[in-house]
């Protein structure tokens, strides 16, 4: 313990550097594991692929012009021998979504069920394709219908297969899933489902944005950073290899030259993209909402990257057929392989045991600092006991001085969480802004006001802060942050890690005795809001679409509005986590800096 | 001192009332950490419904409360929330008064010892001043009422709160010196959940000490009082059980309550050590391991009673803690009861070795329970092993906490007799080892 106290700062710095190095090392191929199919039922069975062709996409296109997609779809599905049902839903967004230009949403989901001829109908698989008016996902709907026609004539289905065409992408999926499982967590209005299959085992979502497909991208990141079982990714990869289809993850092809610098950078970029996408906690495809219901799901997105090599629809059909047939063979839910992983490429993965140490090293810093403070707090107390119990006296006021900033910080957090959406009407009345801007700007305003608020009120309430006061406060805040980050990292590793990387250095080193202006600047630059800003820039850099500062700022604002919308519509937890916990925790450290 | 206590009670009741009215109440009452099959409110309601239909509440495998409990709620089911709040209030006040009494006794003893010069000269700093002892009863009440564990337990309407009230009243009566009431309440507590049986030893030791009867097996006065107290205890236990029989007209409740506690048929995960083991175990070893696990609770009574026979109140604390760690269906309400005693031992602070580690572990575990539960049950990405790992860690923290206090208590007593700065024979500074 003595050693830990004496060498505290160097150990902390070493830990931080080690964490970063460890994390970057994860992308290095020798440190990763090969993905292997772990599920027996999907491993060695032979699947003979014949494939569906003749994609009837003309109908979709023509009926879209007349605006009667759902009626046409019902007919088309019925003519292919499915049990067809429709479901209508409506939802008023808390404020207009400017990215997708929607406010009052009304839509219809069409789904057809192919009943399993070979088994009791207790289990089901879902193939879904989003289709909205004006959307260019016709290819996928056409392929879906072709698959339905082909599947109808086969006899080996042991699970019901549900073909779902959902309108308004995620909102349609959300309405359908909630109706299927008889829940309503987000206040969406929808009509009940008329027909249903068994419990859904797995789902695939299909997005083909153009007529020409050169490669297929697999999307795994779901709501709140949840990932499907790794076997689903393995399955996709195995079939891509078999059929000779170019497959990517995060839009990045795989490279074989891991021992060169470019190869490593490529893998690191792929992994960073995954981390950033996962950290933002939104669902990156329709599959993301399935994961919440314990259904393994992934999205397959066709990409036209103007390569020479092209994949025709029949090949994609064969690929899907193969995947569905393997899933059809499942005897139990996918559970053999990993649920916590990062993918530097499709054939390599990093498991939880490998990446957790990187995060652990960061949290250890917080604990070490807390231990250090504890020892410092304890030492004078012990000395004071000898002259009759002076140590006991300050404990009363100390609790109060700690409690005040904690309560005030959290009240600010609650304000940040509640006010933006509730105050939008007032803001629109008084300022020349649209509703969406009003919400985002209110959030930014409250965030900034929070910086001025806590230490002023604290000074007003309890006068001069004592030396012991801030140490107790810092101890509390450090432990609080450590527990908070730990819990976050368990649910969403990437979010926890990104927050830890930016928050740990300032929180570990913050004392009231540092030069105020400089450290205040550093603190603000490493605050949660700026973390989001950096993530926006890094993300744009990684997808090779760099943005200027002003564009970046606009993107930042839209990310905030999307975050709030995701929370309201789908129950994403990132916004409440940041507003109610991380931000108040950061404010506590801000408070320490200005401890008088 | 009545004013702060009243204020504290008002604050505590307000918090609970607000939570009862919020949407959280339902969520909390579903948490496995807060309610166990033994004391879940849902099951009480089920039992009441069966009783109203004229069916024995113990038919089926849902209801495991004692007959007294169901008849109590038969009359006050509409005021259940108030009953639970009152129970918490009673517990807090009882603890407050008992610790006040205990502190008075301790101070008086210390004064006598000081006057007769029994303490070594360098131990004066270990003595306790009335000033620091003044707020301890209030702190104890505060630790109980404002402990998040207690609040959760109360909002979930876990009947654990009522059991805690009975145990707290038992402690109060014991410390006030009423052998009759103490015996009756101990019987009632035993009747409720069996495990408080182990509190018989500390209560007996306390009365013996109070009446200046030495613990000597050859003395007739010792046997006389022991038999007297045991008679009160066993007598009231028999009476209570008999009454239950007449209330229900059948012995159904014996297997359904006590059999359920001992044989652990319900393996719903909780914060205890039982569920995972018995879910994993081969069926034919079950009986053996049940014996091993259950003996844990009772076994420590004997060595602890011998070691702490001069300090029965501390022994009560140790016993309650051991019960809450090793019982078959523990909930956070049980943990809250022994944690309320911690301020009473605040003078041991300087001898505690692991308090920082322990508080970190307990804090982290409390936060991780719901997270891992979510990952296991809802997200499906983690599994029971993750949850059990946290359970193990939580219990490890508790055991460390209790043993740390035990060591600190013994060490202080040792210093009080042998002086604070111990020297080895060769003059170097000595360290104490717990043996």
């Amino acid at each position: 313990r003595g050693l830990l106290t004496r060498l505290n700062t160097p150990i902390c710095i070493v830990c931080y550097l080690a964490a970063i190095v460890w994390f970057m090392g994860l992308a290095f191929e020798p440190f990763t594991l090969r993905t292997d199919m772990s599920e027996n039922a999907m491993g060695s069975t032979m699947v003979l692929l014949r494939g569906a062709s003749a994609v009837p996409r003309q109908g979709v296109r023509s009926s879209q012009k007349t605006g009667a997609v759902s009626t046409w779809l019902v007919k088309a599905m019925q003519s292919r021998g499915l049990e067809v049902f429709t479901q209508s839903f409506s939802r008023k967004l808390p404020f207009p979504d400017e990215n997708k230009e929607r406010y009052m949403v009304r839509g219809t989901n069409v789904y057809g069920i192919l009943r399993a001829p070979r088994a009791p109908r207790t289990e089901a698989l879902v193939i879904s394709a989003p289709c909205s008016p004006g959307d260019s996902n016709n290819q996928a709907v056409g392929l879906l219908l072709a698959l339905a026609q082909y599947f109808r004539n086969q006899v080996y289905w042991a699970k019901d297969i549900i073909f779902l065409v959902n309108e308004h992408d995620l909102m349609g999926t959300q309405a359908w899933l909630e109706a299927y499982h008889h829940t309503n967590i987000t206040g969406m209005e929808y009509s009940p489902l008329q027909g249903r299959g068994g419990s859904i085992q797995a789902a695939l979502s299909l997005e083909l944005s153009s007529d020409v497909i050169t490669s297929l991208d697999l999307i795994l990141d779901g709501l709140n950073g949840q990932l499907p079982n790794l076997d689903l990714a393995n399955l996709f990869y195995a079939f891509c290899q078999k059929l000779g289809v170019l497959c990517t993850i995060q839009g990045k092809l795989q490279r074989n030259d891991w021992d060169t610098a470019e190869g490593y950078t490529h893998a690191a970029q792929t992994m960073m993209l995954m981390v950033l996408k996962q950290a933002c906690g939104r669902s990156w495809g329709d599959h993301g909402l399935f994961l919440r219901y314990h259904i393994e799901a992934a999205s397959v997105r066709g990409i036209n990257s103007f390569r020479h090599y092209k994949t025709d629809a029949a090949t994609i059909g064969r690929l899907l057929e193969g995947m569905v047939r393997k899933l059809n063979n499942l005897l139990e839910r996918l559970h053999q392989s990993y649920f916590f992983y990062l993918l530097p490429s499709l054939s390599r993965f990093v498991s939880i045991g490998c990446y957790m140490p990187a995060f652990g090293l960061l949290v250890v810093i917080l604990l070490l600092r807390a231990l250090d403070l504890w020892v410092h707090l304890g030492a004078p107390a012990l000395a004071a006991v000898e002259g009759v119990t002076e140590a006991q006296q300050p404990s009363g006021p100390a609790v109060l001085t700690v409690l005040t900033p904690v309560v005030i910080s959290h009240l600010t957090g609650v304000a940040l969480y509640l006010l933006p959406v509730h105050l939008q009407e007032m803001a629109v009345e008084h300022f020349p802004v649209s509703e969406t801007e009003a919400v985002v700007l209110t959030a930014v305003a409250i965030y900034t006001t929070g910086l001025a608020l806590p230490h002023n009120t604290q000074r007003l309430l309890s006068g001069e802060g004592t030396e012991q006061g801030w140490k107790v406060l810092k101890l509390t805040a450090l432990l609080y942050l450590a527990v908070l980050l730990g819990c976050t990292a368990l649910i969403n590793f990437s979010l926890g890690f990104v927050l830890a990387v930016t928050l740990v250095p300032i929180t570990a080193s913050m004392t009231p005795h540092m030069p105020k202006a400089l450290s205040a600047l550093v603190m603000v630059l490493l605050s949660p809001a700026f973390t989001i800003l950096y993530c926006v820039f890094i993300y744009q850099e990684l997808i090779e679409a760099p943005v200027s500062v002003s564009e970046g700022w606009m993107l930042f604002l839209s990310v905030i509005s999307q975050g709030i919308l995701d929370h309201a519509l789908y129950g994403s937890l990132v916004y409440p986590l940041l507003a109610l916990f991380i931000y108040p925790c950061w404010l506590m450290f801000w408070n320490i800096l200005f401890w008088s | 001192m009545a004013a702060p206590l009243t204020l504290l009670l008002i604050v505590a009741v307000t918090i609970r009332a607000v939570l009862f009215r919020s949407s959280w109440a339902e969520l909390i009452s579903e948490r496995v950490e807060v309610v166990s099959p033994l004391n879940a409110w849902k099951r009480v309601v089920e039992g009441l419904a069966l009783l109203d239909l004229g069916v024995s509440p113990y038919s089926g495998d849902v209801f495991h409360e004692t007959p007294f409990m169901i008849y109590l709620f038969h009359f006050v089911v509409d005021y259940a929330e108030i009953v639970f709040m009152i129970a918490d209030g009673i517990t807090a006040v009882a603890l407050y008064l008992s610790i006040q009494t205990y502190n008075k006794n301790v101070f008086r003893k210390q004064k006598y010892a000081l006057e007769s010069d029994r303490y070594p000269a360098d131990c004066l700093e270990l003595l306790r001043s009335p000033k620091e002892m003044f707020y301890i009863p209030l702190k104890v009440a505060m630790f109980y009422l404002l402990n998040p564990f207690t609040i959760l337990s109360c909002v979930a309407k876990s009947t654990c709160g009522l059991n805690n009230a009975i145990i707290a009243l038992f402690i109060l009566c014991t410390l006030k010196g009423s052998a009759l009431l103490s015996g009756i309440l101990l019987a009632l507590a035993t009747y409720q959940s069996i495990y408080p049986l182990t509190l018989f030893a500390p209560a007996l030791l306390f009365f013996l000490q109070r009446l200046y009867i030495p613990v000597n097996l050859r003395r007739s006065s010792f046997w006389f009082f022991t038999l007297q107290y045991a008679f009160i205890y066993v007598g009231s236990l028999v009476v209570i059980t008999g009454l239950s029989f007449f209330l229900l007209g059948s012995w159904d409740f014996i297997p359904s309550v006590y059999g359920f506690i001992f044989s652990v048929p319900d393996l719903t995960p909780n914060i205890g050590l039982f569920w995972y083991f018995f879910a994993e175990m081969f069926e034919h070893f079950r009986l053996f391991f049940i014996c091993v696990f259950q003996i844990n609770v009772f076994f420590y009574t004997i060595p602890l009673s011998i070691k702490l026979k001069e300090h029965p109140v501390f022994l009560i604390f140790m016993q309650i803690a051991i019960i809450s760690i090793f019982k078959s269906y523990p909930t956070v309400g049980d943990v809250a009861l022994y944690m309320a005693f911690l301020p009473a031992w605040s003078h041991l602070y300087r001898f505690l070795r692991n308090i920082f580690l322990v508080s970190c572990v307990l804090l982290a575990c409390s936060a991780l329970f719901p997270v891992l539960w979510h990952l296991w049950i809802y997200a499906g990405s983690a599994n029971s092993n993750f949850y059990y790992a946290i359970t193990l860690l939580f219990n490890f923290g508790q055991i460390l906490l209790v043993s740390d206090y035990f060591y600190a208590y013994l060490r202080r007593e040792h210093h009080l007799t042998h002086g604070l700065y111990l020297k080895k024979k060769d003059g170097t500074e000595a360290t104490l080892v717990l043996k």
Side-chain angles (χ1 to χ4, degrees), chain A residues 64-105:
Chain A
Q64 255 189 5
K65 283 185 193 124
T66 56
V69 190
S70 58
T71 36
W72 182 82
L73 266 174
V74 169
K75 270 192 207 134
M77 282 193 184
Q78 263 164 358
S79 72
R80 282 163 182 80
L82 303 179
E83 284 177 40
V84 189
F85 306 94
T86 58
Q87 182 210 21
S88 58
F89 61 91
S90 67
R91 173 80 208 250
K92 181 170 173 270
L93 271 58
F95 57 90
D97 183 352
E98 290 193 342
N99 282 25
K100 289 180 179 155
E101 289 170 355
R102 56 190 185 190
Y103 184 42
M104 302 283 293
V105 178

Side-chain angles (χ1 to χ4, degrees), chain B residues 4 16 34 54 101-102 161 163 182 192 235 268 283 357 399 422 424:
Chain B
R16 285 163 172 76
V34 183
T101 321
Y102 170 67
N163 296 350
S182 151
Q192 282 292 341
T268 316
E283 200 57 30
L357 178 71
I399 291 169
L422 300 171
K424 279 187 193 157

Side-chain angles (χ1 to χ4, degrees), chain A residues 150-279:
Chain A
Y150 175 69
F151 284 0
R152 179 75 179 80
N153 298 324
Q154 310 306 318
V155 289
Y156 39 68
W157 301 116
K159 294 178 170 53
D160 292 345
I161 298 177
I162 302 175
F163 297 92
L164 168 69
V165 177
N166 53 309
E167 208 171 334
H168 297 294
D169 46 69
L170 284 170
M171 303 197 53
T173 318
Q174 169 89 356
W176 191 79
L177 278 170
E178 288 198 347
Y180 200 92
H181 295 99
H182 295 295
T183 55
N184 195 342
I185 29 181
T186 50
M188 171 130 23
E189 285 167 31
Y190 52 76
S191 59
L193 297 186
Q194 299 300 321
R196 62 182 70 238
S199 87
I200 303 174
Q201 304 291 304
L204 289 173
S205 173
L206 203 58
E207 294 172 33
L208 306 176
S209 51
S210 83
D211 288 353
V212 184
I213 305 296
T214 54
S215 62
L216 288 179
D217 189 40
L218 181 69
I219 305 165
L220 297 170
D221 321 74
L223 195 70
N224 291 328
Q226 218 182 326
L227 298 168
N229 197 296
L230 188 59
D231 267 347
L232 205 62
N234 297 340
L235 186 64
F236 173 78
Y237 182 63
F239 272 105
C240 282
Q241 295 294 88
K242 187 169 178 181
L243 296 170
V245 179
L246 277 183
C247 53
T248 61
I249 188 153
Q250 324 297 354
K252 304 247 178 205
L253 274 173
Q254 188 174 347
R255 294 173 66 129
N256 293 322
D257 51 345
W258 59 269
D259 42 359
T260 63
E262 290 92 52
Y264 168 74
T265 326
H266 189 80
Q269 280 177 349
T270 316
M271 193 179 73
M272 278 304 292
L273 264 176
M274 175 154 185
V275 166
L276 287 177
K277 278 187 173 178
Q278 200 189 359

